[in-house]
Amino acid sequence: MAYPHRIKDAGASALQQAEHLRTEEIRRQHRRGIPLLILATAVGYLISLPAQQADAPLAVVVVLIAAPMLWVTRRAYRPGQLVRRWRQGAEGERRTARELHPLTRRGWIVLHDRALAGTRANLDHVVLDPAGRSALYLDTKFYRSGRHVGLRNGSLACGKFTYREAISTVRWEAQRAAVALGVPVTPIIVIHGARVPGGKFDANGITIINARHLRAELRARSGQPNSHVQQALAQRAEAALPRYTAVH
């Protein structure tokens, strides 16, 4: 059974969640945005009157009328922080998928955006090496460029922000995935955007790694290829870890 690697599968549920939130957000923004657009149109028309009276080119008049409307539209209908965060998460997962893609041509199997049965959690990426006797769970984090990732009191930190449950959550998800698959599952947190000192470091048994070093890290963990064993594991993964489709 072939397992084609589709990069667009990565981050699909995060993007779906972002668009769901954005639809609700736009409905709320209409309440304020429509009256402001009406006012901006009136203001633009008043601003354009001197140009109209001077027989200015139509393009100039249109620009003068449209400028306040465009300004209001950008301000009133700007995506909120939560929507931007979900979109950024989806983009991070797509970037990880692109990093993994070359491995699929060397016998690796990569599954994206998988559900953990009985929970609301999802697994960003499940990777099966050619040996097929274990799996890796990759959790993608996309942080602001220029910041440094590290540990603060045992918790994952980036810049001034501390993510207290990030490491424990990833460990718990890997443990649940191991139960579902019946093989050991190694958790790795993949970092995009922010800097990782030394390229990678260990956080209580979980590898925190810069995305640029991911392929080399995975190749170093690969065992002796066994396509029969790997295919059996891939079939279990497909059954036990279905695609994640929930939107909350």
Side-chain angles (χ1 to χ4, degrees):
M1 180 178 179
Y3 291 89
H5 180 241
R6 301 197 310 170
I7 292 174
K8 68 178 183 179
D9 290 342
S13 65
L15 190 59
Q16 184 183 20
Q17 178 72 357
E19 297 315 305
H20 171 75
L21 292 170
R22 182 62 181 145
T23 298
E24 296 299 316
E25 185 177 63
I26 288 174
R27 288 181 183 146
R28 295 191 301 270
Q29 290 172 334
H30 277 331
R31 298 174 194 150
R32 181 169 178 264
I34 290 176
L36 286 175
L37 279 172
I38 294 172
L39 178 60
T41 303
V43 169
Y45 178 76
L46 292 174
I47 292 174
S48 74
L49 281 177
Q52 294 183 54
Q53 293 168 357
D55 292 327
L58 178 60
V60 173
V61 175
V62 170
V63 167
L64 291 172
I65 294 175
M69 297 171 62
L70 291 173
W71 185 85
V72 166
T73 299
R74 291 183 63 183
R75 300 279 294 186
Y77 289 92
R78 182 184 180 190
Q81 184 178 23
L82 187 58
V83 171
R84 296 197 302 271
R85 189 157 59 235
W86 278 100
R87 286 177 176 173
Q88 180 173 289
E91 174 58 23
E93 292 180 44
R94 295 276 175 90
R95 292 187 182 191
T96 297
R98 287 192 286 270
E99 290 290 335
L100 293 170
H101 186 67
L103 294 177
T104 64
R105 296 192 288 268
R106 296 177 176 269
W108 294 66
I109 293 175
V110 182
L111 307 175
H112 300 296
D113 212 3
R114 297 292 163 148
L116 278 171
T119 77
R120 297 175 67 179
N122 79 310
L123 307 176
D124 293 347
H125 321 272
V126 177
V127 181
L128 313 179
D129 78 4
R133 299 191 180 278
S134 62
L136 301 105
Y137 162 45
L138 311 183
D139 182 72
T140 291
K141 304 293 185 189
F142 192 167
Y143 296 130
R144 184 173 296 179
S145 178
R147 292 177 176 171
H148 285 77
V149 172
L151 293 179
R152 186 175 295 132
N153 298 323
S155 297
L156 187 67
C158 183
K160 65 180 181 179
F161 297 99
T162 301
Y163 304 91
R164 301 189 184 282
E165 297 183 0
I167 292 175
S168 60
T169 297
V170 169
R171 180 179 291 109
W172 175 83
E173 289 169 339
Q175 291 169 349
R176 290 294 298 265
V179 171
L181 296 178
V183 297
V185 174
T186 301
I188 298 176
I189 296 178
V190 183
I191 304 296
H192 294 271
R195 300 175 183 174
V196 179
K200 69 174 184 177
F201 63 89
D202 179 81
N204 302 320
I206 296 178
T207 299
I208 315 293
I209 190 166
N210 185 287
R212 293 194 303 273
H213 303 288
L214 179 60
R215 286 200 300 272
E217 177 72 15
L218 297 191
R219 284 195 296 265
R221 294 171 180 261
S222 179
Q224 185 67 28
N226 188 322
S227 61
H228 178 73
V229 174
Q230 186 200 44
Q231 287 293 319
L233 178 58
Q235 290 177 20
R236 290 203 301 276
E238 284 286 0
L241 304 173
R243 296 185 188 279
Y244 188 88
T245 58
V247 173
H248 311 301

